[in-house]
Amino acid sequence: MGAIDGVNVKGCVELGFEEEPEILAIEEAVRVLLQGVCDDSNREGVRRTPLRVAKALWEGTRGYKQKVKDIVSGALFPEAGLENRAGHAGGTGGLVVVRDLDLFSRCESCLLPFQIKCHVGYVPSGHRVVGLSKLSRVAEVFAKRLQDPQRLANEICEALQHGFGPTGVAVVLQCSHINFPSSESALSDPNHKGWVKMLAKSGTGVFHDGMTDVWTDFLSLLRFRGINVEDAHSSGSDNKSWCPSHACSKTGVPDSAMLRSVASILCSLGEDVPLRKELQETPARFVKWLMSFKDSRLDLKLNGFVQNKRDFRCNDEHLRCEPNLSFWSQCEHHLLPFHGVVHVGYYSSDELNPVQRSVLQSIVHFYGFKLQVQERLTRQIAETVSTFLGEDVMIVVEASHTCMISRGIGKCGSSTATVAVLGRFSMDASARGKFLEIIPDSGAGEG
Amino acid sequence: MGAIDGVNVKGCVELGFEEEPEILAIEEAVRVLLQGVCDDSNREGVRRTPLRVAKALWEGTRGYKQKVKDIVSGALFPEAGLENRAGHAGGTGGLVVVRDLDLFSRCESCLLPFQIKCHVGYVPSGHRVVGLSKLSRVAEVFAKRLQDPQRLANEICEALQHGFGPTGVAVVLQCSHINFPSSESALSDPNHKGWVKMLAKSGTGVFHDGMTDVWTDFLSLLRFRGINVEDAHSSGSDNKSWCPSHACSKTGVPDSAMLRSVASILCSLGEDVPLRKELQETPARFVKWLMSFKDSRLDLKLNGFVQNKRDFRCNDEHLRCEPNLSFWSQCEHHLLPFHGVVHVGYYSSDELNPVQRSVLQSIVHFYGFKLQVQERLTRQIAETVSTFLGEDVMIVVEASHTCMISRGIGKCGSSTATVAVLGRFSMDASARGKFLEIIPDSGAGEG
């Protein structure tokens, strides 16, 4: 973790780190992007965003600079097999499976991070086993690059096969890619699925053919941990990318300075953009995603709500809850997604009707589709909601932040809740308690 | 992660790292310990163990060299609160809660790692919020020291309070400490609980008093994630350590050279052993734990089983399963615990009776209580079990390795399965499949 901060193993700051030419080049490119999406790129919240983004990108693709040989060398241990009897065990044929390695990678199609549960199996040979942690470290080398699930599985598999020469290696990856709706479809499709899932398998040696008995053994051992490979959507031979940005319409001509900036970032990270066809459209897709959070883009839409606000005002005394309004946003500190749900507490004589609920959802999306921090999002929703649901309003926002997991922090399961309390909710702890009690299970943060 | 390997942010190996005087001193001390516990400390599997242990200890206590000020500075962002209305939101009073931060620490009483789910809440003031990841980074500074749960909670809390001056900070830690049985009690108490759990709470500012409304709000937001603080065993005022090693009998006089080595390690890491009373008995406890895995210690016990082996042999054709025999072991590469369950498949006319099952469990403990690697453990159990359950034996060992989670690898949920197949299990894939199918859910790796 020290590496990201420029803090070395002794806890000292590596002073030169932020002045590395590659970091400076990426930082400059991110500054161009930020100017395109943000009305005031000098305000304090985003002033150092280019440096933060540059460090996160650099750290998240450090695999380009790592060599498998350096990791595996010295990590092979002599280990006896069976002697004088039929069978397989230990250093001659005893299947080894490591399950549920949490990895993060960056999608080569859109540059957003994706989550991976990685499972590795291998069959030792020549009376040698490899240190278990090396399977994880080698997988990490290839995850920390711009990737596609199948290519990642193949690269991990081949690197382990060539790295220490076992009888065979099998890799199964369960990948989840965030599936951002556009600001329009977020509202029109309330059942929008927030994740695209994909399964990738790869095998070398005795695992080369996917139908062998040893694959069956491996998959049975995954099933012990609830990993059911047969049920999952698997990558076919159709060669179509899994990235949801491929399905987006190509409307609008992105700013060419922004496109050039993304292309230059890819080169700084170590990719050969002109030669890799998978990367040709990546700058356009990333800029399109980024621009969907542009400050001014949605202003007109809110005007519609504000005009109607008086129609919805109620003054009755019943505590009500509108839970689980989904939101999508972008962390202004790291230009990374965060998303989750908003719970609204208020007082009214009746439950909201569907039209009123959709107005709430629109307010949530309006403040979501911006460069944001969760604390501000929470306050802004509270202020606007109170203009038409009354002065007594409580807002709880629950989110999982990609910036907490895809950077060096590595806190996979963490989630953040923020609260705003207006009117009587700020004075009356029992009202807060009652509201928090009646919110149904949100499932926020589920990958 | 780079830091542990001596790999810096550019992916280059920091060449001087392994020659640092502190690392060399710890390495030398670990060499003394290894000689005490291992008959041949020059064999290839353990030859570089002193260096690996030194690096892991150094990395696992890097918090001694880190300053909270360096982390928090530059991470405070201006954030508006509510204007002209009653309530709390954003930078003036909007409660922020980050849940489920996975941390690892080292127990000050016994030096073994313990797991932590950390939950932090704070109330911003002065129109300022802190970058969310800093809550995690600050917690990490204190987790990476020799700790006790309550002290850890207090230190995180106070560091955040002083670091950026909010209205108040609350910290809740759910801690799990591995509870190693002695080799004797492992056999006599089949219901031995593998974990000691403890809850620690700390609060500053508005959270100083544990019964305030804001604590109620915070705990309600934890309950959303299934964290039920009221139910958990909480640290009382009785000042008794939670570490299970305190309950162990103090039999035997540990080797004084080994004791001196552990004390010197503590000093190298940055602790003041003579001054900190909690550390007075730590060397004795650690040496006692280490020595329970001494190669030769249990030899006599197995002789008993081997003499009886012919009584148990069967040649019937029914596939049987003896699942979930627990084991406890020590990774010889890192001198860290690994533990889990062993499943035994065999052919017999009858199920084993309780005595026979206890013999299996004894064999598992015999090979567990050694410096081990999981692949060897699996093979050794297979070989010995086959001498009295027949030539057709299949062994599956499922384990979670502390060395995969407490070092820089950081793979919290990962688990490892290893397989040995003898006789017909090695030829007959359907026999293997049937055995793997009938093994009931093991719950291995549960923290």
Side-chain angles (χ1 to χ4, degrees):
Chain A
M1 231 147 60
I4 308 118
D5 276 333
V7 176
N8 68 17
V9 72
K10 298 187 75 179
C12 308
V13 175
E14 289 170 15
L15 281 170
F17 171 63
E18 299 185 357
E19 275 82 50
E20 294 287 344
E22 293 96 335
I23 301 280
L24 289 172
I26 301 172
E27 192 180 348
E28 188 47 43
V30 175
R31 195 165 286 120
V32 173
L33 296 172
L34 193 62
Q35 280 157 0
V37 68
C38 185
D39 287 345
D40 175 11
S41 59
N42 284 318
R43 67 184 166 83
E44 203 169 330
V46 297
R47 200 169 41 83
R48 282 164 48 93
T49 293
L51 176 60
R52 280 188 290 262
V53 174
K55 283 158 98 177
L57 279 168
W58 187 250
E59 199 282 327
T61 56
R62 62 164 188 258
Y64 288 116
K65 293 115 202 158
Q66 292 175 323
K67 289 204 181 75
V68 171
K69 207 178 63 179
D70 297 339
I71 293 169
V72 175
S73 74
L76 277 173
F77 299 97
E79 196 54 56
L82 292 173
E83 276 171 31
N84 306 322
R85 62 175 88 194
H88 310 292
T92 51
L95 177 62
V96 175
V97 179
V98 176
R99 299 164 295 195
D100 290 314
L101 297 167
D102 284 312
L103 303 175
F104 256 84
S105 191
R106 290 262 189 171
C107 174
E108 64 184 14
S109 288
C110 70
L111 289 188
L112 293 185
F114 66 95
Q115 257 173 289
I116 303 147
K117 282 271 178 198
C118 171
H119 317 287
V120 180
Y122 82 96
V123 178
S125 72
H127 296 86
R128 294 189 311 172
V129 297
V130 71
L132 292 173
S133 65
K134 304 305 170 186
L135 301 175
S136 173
R137 287 203 200 272
V138 168
E140 197 84 56
V141 166
F142 296 96
K144 294 290 180 205
R145 299 181 182 194
L146 303 184
Q147 280 291 6
D148 156 86
Q150 188 58 52
R151 191 154 65 94
L152 177 57
N154 295 345
E155 289 182 353
I156 296 170
C157 212
E158 278 155 30
L160 289 171
Q161 182 67 48
H162 295 133
F164 65 101
T167 303
V169 178
V171 172
V172 168
L173 305 180
Q174 297 173 286
C175 302
S176 306
H177 190 307
I178 196 167
N179 182 14
F180 258 82
S182 67
S183 54
E184 297 82 20
S185 70
L187 213 54
S188 60
D189 176 14
N191 298 319
H192 175 82
K193 280 220 166 103
W195 296 93
V196 173
K197 308 245 177 192
M198 200 180 110
L199 190 97
K201 282 189 265 189
S202 190
T204 56
V206 288
F207 289 99
H208 185 70
D209 178 357
M211 292 290 97
T212 54
D213 293 339
V214 66
W215 259 108
T216 309
D217 294 349
F218 175 49
L219 296 179
S220 298
L221 291 166
L222 297 190
R223 211 171 296 122
F224 277 19
R225 298 278 291 189
I227 306 154
N228 214 327
V229 168
E230 283 80 2
D231 291 352
H233 172 68
S234 179
S235 60
S237 53
D238 59 358
N239 221 8
K240 241 178 61 185
S241 171
W242 73 318
C243 174
S245 73
H246 278 258
C248 291
S249 61
K250 283 176 185 159
T251 52
V253 181
D255 181 278
S256 64
M258 291 176 81
L259 289 180
R260 279 196 307 275
S261 296
V262 180
S264 88
I265 289 171
L266 299 181
C267 292
S268 297
L269 296 177
E271 281 284 5
D272 193 336
V273 183
L275 281 182
R276 264 244 277 153
K277 71 172 179 357
E278 296 85 355
L279 299 174
Q280 298 300 307
E281 297 297 319
T282 302
R285 291 192 201 101
F286 184 71
V287 171
K288 186 177 155 68
W289 175 74
L290 204 62
M291 291 303 282
S292 66
F293 296 92
K294 190 166 163 56
D295 286 346
S296 54
R297 229 172 52 87
L298 277 180
D299 272 357
L300 281 172
K301 305 215 167 174
L302 188 63
N303 291 338
F305 314 145
V306 173
Q307 282 161 13
N308 291 328
K309 66 183 177 182
R310 280 181 202 88
D311 302 343
F312 300 107
R313 180 169 283 185
C314 309
N315 286 308
D316 202 309
E317 292 298 285
H318 289 80
L319 176 58
R320 305 279 175 185
C321 171
E322 258 326 296
N324 295 319
L325 301 158
S326 63
F327 79 89
W328 304 86
S329 196
Q330 189 176 180
C331 166
E332 71 179 28
H333 297 157
H334 304 98
L335 303 187
L336 282 169
F338 73 102
H339 65 104
V341 289
V342 178
H343 312 300
V344 179
Y346 61 101
Y347 283 84
S348 166
S349 54
D350 304 297
E351 294 285 331
L352 296 188
N353 65 38
V355 173
Q356 292 167 319
R357 183 172 160 100
S358 92
V359 172
L360 275 191
Q361 180 68 71
S362 300
I363 293 172
V364 166
H365 283 316
F366 173 75
Y367 289 110
F369 279 99
K370 290 181 188 305
L371 292 191
Q372 272 289 14
V373 298
Q374 188 176 332
E375 295 89 339
R376 188 186 313 143
L377 174 70
T378 310
R379 173 182 58 79
Q380 290 173 334
I381 292 173
E383 288 176 338
T384 305
V385 165
S386 80
T387 61
F388 84 109
L389 284 184
E391 292 300 313
D392 303 320
V393 162
M394 179 161 172
I395 304 290
V396 174
V397 178
E398 294 196 275
S400 57
H401 285 250
T402 319
C403 59
M404 287 288 277
I405 39 186
S406 70
R407 298 184 309 139
I409 316 290
K411 300 303 180 197
C412 281
S414 74
S415 74
T416 303
T418 45
V419 179
V421 284
L422 270 65
R424 86 165 79 167
F425 283 105
S426 68
M427 272 92 63
D428 183 353
S430 71
R432 295 200 300 274
K434 194 177 162 200
F435 169 57
L436 291 171
E437 212 169 83
I438 61 177
I439 297 172
D441 185 22
S442 68
E446 273 177 21
Chain B
M1 232 151 60
I4 308 117
D5 276 334
V7 176
N8 68 17
V9 71
K10 299 188 73 179
C12 308
V13 175
E14 289 171 15
L15 280 172
F17 171 63
E18 300 185 357
E19 275 82 50
E20 295 287 344
E22 293 96 335
I23 301 279
L24 289 172
I26 301 171
E27 193 180 345
E28 187 48 43
V30 176
R31 195 165 287 123
V32 173
L33 295 173
L34 193 62
Q35 281 158 0
V37 68
C38 185
D39 287 345
D40 176 11
S41 60
N42 284 318
R43 66 184 167 84
E44 204 168 332
V46 298
R47 200 167 42 82
R48 281 163 49 92
T49 293
L51 176 59
R52 280 187 291 262
V53 174
K55 284 159 96 176
L57 279 167
W58 187 249
E59 198 283 326
T61 55
R62 62 164 188 260
Y64 287 115
K65 293 116 204 157
Q66 292 175 323
K67 288 204 182 72
V68 171
K69 207 178 65 179
D70 298 339
I71 293 170
V72 174
S73 75
L76 277 172
F77 299 97
E79 196 54 55
L82 292 172
E83 276 172 32
N84 307 323
R85 63 174 87 196
H88 311 291
T92 51
L95 177 61
V96 175
V97 178
V98 176
R99 300 165 293 197
D100 290 315
L101 297 167
D102 284 312
L103 303 176
F104 255 84
S105 189
R106 290 262 189 171
C107 174
E108 65 183 15
S109 288
C110 71
L111 289 188
L112 293 187
F114 65 96
Q115 257 173 288
I116 304 147
K117 281 272 178 198
C118 170
H119 317 287
V120 181
Y122 82 95
V123 178
S125 73
H127 296 87
R128 293 188 313 170
V129 298
V130 71
L132 292 173
S133 64
K134 304 305 170 187
L135 301 175
S136 172
R137 288 202 201 271
V138 169
E140 196 83 55
V141 166
F142 296 95
K144 295 290 180 204
R145 299 182 183 193
L146 302 184
Q147 280 291 6
D148 155 87
Q150 189 59 52
R151 191 154 65 91
L152 177 57
N154 295 345
E155 289 182 352
I156 296 171
C157 211
E158 279 156 29
L160 290 171
Q161 183 67 47
H162 294 134
F164 66 102
T167 304
V169 178
V171 171
V172 167
L173 305 180
Q174 297 173 287
C175 302
S176 306
H177 190 309
I178 196 166
N179 182 13
F180 260 81
S182 67
S183 54
E184 298 80 19
S185 69
L187 212 53
S188 60
D189 176 13
N191 298 318
H192 174 82
K193 281 219 167 105
W195 296 92
V196 173
K197 308 245 178 194
M198 201 182 109
L199 190 96
K201 283 190 264 189
S202 190
T204 56
V206 288
F207 290 98
H208 185 70
D209 178 356
M211 293 289 98
T212 55
D213 293 339
V214 66
W215 258 108
T216 309
D217 294 349
F218 175 50
L219 296 180
S220 297
L221 291 166
L222 297 190
R223 212 171 295 120
F224 276 19
R225 299 278 291 190
I227 305 153
N228 215 327
V229 167
E230 283 81 2
D231 291 354
H233 172 69
S234 180
S235 60
S237 53
D238 58 358
N239 222 8
K240 241 178 61 184
S241 170
W242 73 318
C243 174
S245 73
H246 280 256
C248 291
S249 62
K250 285 175 184 161
T251 53
V253 181
D255 180 279
S256 63
M258 292 175 81
L259 289 180
R260 279 196 308 275
S261 296
V262 180
S264 87
I265 290 171
L266 298 180
C267 293
S268 297
L269 297 177
E271 282 284 6
D272 193 337
V273 184
L275 281 181
R276 265 242 279 153
K277 72 172 177 358
E278 296 85 354
L279 299 174
Q280 298 300 305
E281 297 297 320
T282 301
R285 291 192 201 99
F286 185 71
V287 170
K288 186 178 156 67
W289 174 74
L290 204 62
M291 291 303 282
S292 66
F293 296 92
K294 189 165 164 56
D295 286 346
S296 54
R297 231 173 50 88
L298 278 178
D299 272 357
L300 280 173
K301 304 213 168 176
L302 187 64
N303 291 338
F305 314 143
V306 173
Q307 282 161 12
N308 292 328
K309 66 183 178 182
R310 281 183 201 85
D311 303 342
F312 300 106
R313 179 169 285 187
C314 310
N315 286 309
D316 203 308
E317 292 297 284
H318 290 79
L319 176 57
R320 305 280 174 185
C321 172
E322 257 328 293
N324 295 317
L325 301 156
S326 64
F327 79 89
W328 304 85
S329 195
Q330 188 177 182
C331 165
E332 72 178 28
H333 298 157
H334 303 98
L335 303 187
L336 282 168
F338 72 102
H339 65 104
V341 290
V342 178
H343 312 300
V344 178
Y346 60 101
Y347 283 86
S348 166
S349 54
D350 303 297
E351 295 285 331
L352 296 188
N353 64 39
V355 174
Q356 292 167 318
R357 185 171 158 98
S358 91
V359 171
L360 274 192
Q361 181 66 72
S362 300
I363 293 173
V364 166
H365 283 316
F366 173 75
Y367 289 110
F369 279 99
K370 289 181 188 304
L371 292 190
Q372 271 290 12
V373 297
Q374 189 176 331
E375 295 89 337
R376 189 187 313 142
L377 174 69
T378 311
R379 174 183 60 80
Q380 289 173 333
I381 292 172
E383 287 176 338
T384 305
V385 165
S386 80
T387 61
F388 83 107
L389 285 183
E391 292 299 314
D392 304 318
V393 163
M394 180 161 171
I395 304 289
V396 174
V397 178
E398 295 196 274
S400 58
H401 285 251
T402 319
C403 60
M404 287 288 278
I405 38 186
S406 70
R407 298 183 309 139
I409 316 290
K411 301 303 179 197
C412 283
S414 75
S415 73
T416 303
T418 45
V419 179
V421 284
L422 269 65
R424 86 165 80 167
F425 282 105
S426 67
M427 272 93 64
D428 183 354
S430 70
R432 296 201 298 275
K434 193 176 162 201
F435 170 57
L436 292 171
E437 211 167 85
I438 61 178
I439 297 172
D441 185 23
S442 69
E446 271 176 24

